[in-house]
Amino acid sequence: MSVTAAQGFRAAGVTAGLKSSGTPDMALVVNDGPQHAAAAVFTSNRVEAAPVTWSRQVVADGRVDAVVLNSGGANACTGPQGFLDTHRTAEQVAEALDISAGDVVVCSTGLIGELLPMDRITAGVTALAAGLGPNGDAAAQAIMTTDTRPKQAVTSRDGWTIGGMAKGAGMLAPALATMLVVLTTDADLPADELGSALRKATALTFDRIDSDGCQSTNDTVLLMASGASGARPSLEAFTAALTEVCADLARQLIADAEGAHHDIAIRVVGAASEADALEVGRSIARNNLFKCAIFGNDPNWGRVLAAVGTTTADFDPRALDVAINGVQVCRAGGVGADRAGVDLRPREVSVEVDLHAGPAEATIWTNDLTHDYVHENSAYST
Amino acid sequence: MSVTAAQGFRAAGVTAGLKSSGTPDMALVVNDGPQHAAAAVFTSNRVEAAPVTWSRQVVADGRVDAVVLNSGGANACTGPQGFLDTHRTAEQVAEALDISAGDVVVCSTGLIGELLPMDRITAGVTALAAGLGPNGDAAAQAIMTTDTRPKQAVTSRDGWTIGGMAKGAGMLAPALATMLVVLTTDADLPADELGSALRKATALTFDRIDSDGCQSTNDTVLLMASGASGARPSLEAFTAALTEVCADLARQLIADAEGAHHDIAIRVVGAASEADALEVGRSIARNNLFKCAIFGNDPNWGRVLAAVGTTTADFDPRALDVAINGVQVCRAGGVGADRAGVDLRPREVSVEVDLHAGPAEATIWTNDLTHDYVHENSAYST
């Protein structure tokens, strides 16, 4: 299901031999129409991978017929040859499906700074085209890197559906993370409305997960609409449903982030502006000392305040309140309830910071910093 | 030696019982004059500890007669009671030494959010005053937290001397780190010149070490001048010598940072401005994925480029060069020399990034992210 839950889409996933693990590593999702409207958001990292450079151009005209994805190599920092390889991959998909290469999005994920083995990519494209079908599970499997499980989500409304798949794991940070996300819908909406809905949905979901503060070179969130349901939802209704699917996938990304033992929701309330709330939330989410404390089941609220203090947000240090898992351990910038009362054994952790400076609020989702994170990321390329 | 290397200073270190480990935890450094000029720089964290709030006022008039320091408790986020405790500590020192409380700087370090046991502090002050002498080693020992060794440095010029002691370990970040530093000199310089020299020296040293990107609530760097040598060096000569002592202490802080296995010098050259070079250097120094890779002896230069790409510095991604330990693994934004040629077994690691955008450069010192860092910081308060 997932990317094939909406009418008008087929998908495939195969093992092309890009990963030494021998697990599936290439996926293809095809929009059979009748419409081929699309929109996408990409990493804001200025060092962007070749497939991102290519795919920006593909999406620019609002039409996408297919997306081919590979794990096992990011094709980032690979120079002109890397771009030629992306282009060639799109052309091979186009030939196999009798479409235009200029309508084929390419996504890659894996180690930066290595050229892809193009003979294997070529064979993979052939196998993908031959294997296209109504089940999206193999595609969701094939885009995984250090993910431990595939991530899929589906929601349906009155006669139309949105489905999606995602891969994440490391480099999760706003705008965006190491994430590849493919969203499909059979609703009939033009590309500009898809773009508007996608920007709103990602701003509230993928942009607010910040696992390790590191931003990737390859992030892509693609939305394709087939119009196959014949339904034309209002932009408002479609944006709401899309946000729901993106939120579901975003939470799955955090729940499966590299080496994490805790999923942490940092809710900042009483902010003078949403921007202030986001700045404070991200500052806490990126504070290694705080993240280590949560790993140690230690409600060390002093590290929360120390992180808040580095921001430019509007607040009075003597007014700050902090609650961890519902226990108000810091009141008015000083000692509150006994920290021994905080139970940090559950995986889910909530941190609520009240800036007492206004009515705005925002929530950032992050993870703890663990031995497993250090292990996975010190061994990734070796 | 160290803080007592310059003429006119006495020091002491005692065990007041603030730390469960039973190791020394209070220190006192006294300036016997004839001059009592002083200057200081403090954390820029807006959540500042009570002793920082107090000491800013003490230093404001350019005169300091003594500094009392304690480990085993930061006295941060402790509200009005915390400030009263700092004030009382200064008054006790003043009474014991027959000086004014308004000339006594107070520094604290340790866990945030706990009140200090004032009965032990009071007894500690009495013991410190009784133990004052010409050896600074006990004082350097007493300010340690998770430091594994005391940090001291001394330099002498024509008839005048600068000495210093420091504690660091965690929360090392620019402007400043969890560091307490006391610098003493017998040169005869007015407070405004001391302040000018201190700001220049710290900007090039303590402000450029960034162990874990976390900024403390208690950072203090204090410089006291006794004038006891009778020498009046030029401001230029004094600033140069002071920078030398600060650089020595800063390198000792990085070399003993919590759980670090590698000391990493990130040199950014070819920058359009020094600010650009610093932004790029800090972005790399704070990238957890890069820091984990170095821990794994993995010259993963893609993570360096991914960090550079998140900055606003002036550069063309296709022009970036990266060398790790002298091997140019990335050339013109793409694959350079074989990464297998990089030997990352030595503790010292050099990363050089050439932005090819101008003549400016800067170096940031940081550490790798290790299992030991996670362990120490997940167990700190528990």
Side-chain angles (χ1 to χ4, degrees), chain A residues 32-46:
Chain A
D32 289 322
Q35 302 302 323
H36 298 88
V41 293
F42 299 98
T43 182
S44 57
N45 197 313
R46 292 167 61 200

Side-chain angles (χ1 to χ4, degrees), chain A residues 313-355:
Chain A
D314 190 10
F315 68 85
D316 177 345
R318 293 164 301 184
L320 296 171
D321 292 337
V322 178
I324 301 179
N325 280 0
V327 180
Q328 199 178 336
V329 285
C330 170
R331 194 172 291 126
V335 185
D338 187 352
R339 63 175 92 199
V342 180
D343 181 4
L344 280 170
R345 288 170 302 177
R347 183 175 175 103
E348 301 283 327
V349 173
S350 80
V351 175
E352 182 165 311
V353 177
D354 192 337
L355 300 178

Side-chain angles (χ1 to χ4, degrees), chain A residues 305-312 315 317, chain B residues 41-49 52 56 173-179 207 214-221 282 286:
Chain A
L305 259 64
V308 176
T310 63
T311 70
T312 62
F315 68 85
Chain B
V41 293
F42 298 98
T43 182
S44 57
N45 197 312
R46 292 166 62 201
V47 176
E48 67 178 27
V52 171
R56 282 188 201 279
L176 304 165
T178 292
M179 60 172 68
D207 273 357
C214 299
Q215 191 184 54
S216 151
T217 52
N218 290 59
D219 308 319
T220 301
V221 182
R282 287 191 173 131
R286 293 180 177 184

Side-chain angles (χ1 to χ4, degrees), chain B residues 26-27 42 49-56 58-59 64 66-70 74-75 82-83 85-91 93 101 103-109 116 121 180 218-220 222:
Chain B
M26 287 191 74
F42 298 98
V52 171
T53 307
W54 167 261
S55 298
R56 282 188 201 279
V58 169
V59 174
V64 172
V67 53
V68 59
L69 312 95
N70 75 273
N75 196 8
F83 189 80
D85 289 345
T86 290
H87 188 182
R88 210 171 119 211
T89 305
E91 286 187 326
V93 170
D103 296 328
V104 178
V105 164
V106 180
C107 298
S108 300
T109 180
L116 292 172
I121 294 278
L180 300 181
N218 290 59
D219 308 319
T220 301
L222 173 68

Side-chain angles (χ1 to χ4, degrees), chain B residues 109-136:
Chain B
T109 180
L111 185 62
I112 298 173
E114 302 279 354
L115 289 167
L116 292 172
M118 285 307 292
D119 52 337
R120 296 183 185 189
I121 294 278
T122 301
V125 168
T126 303
L128 285 169
L132 284 169
N135 191 312

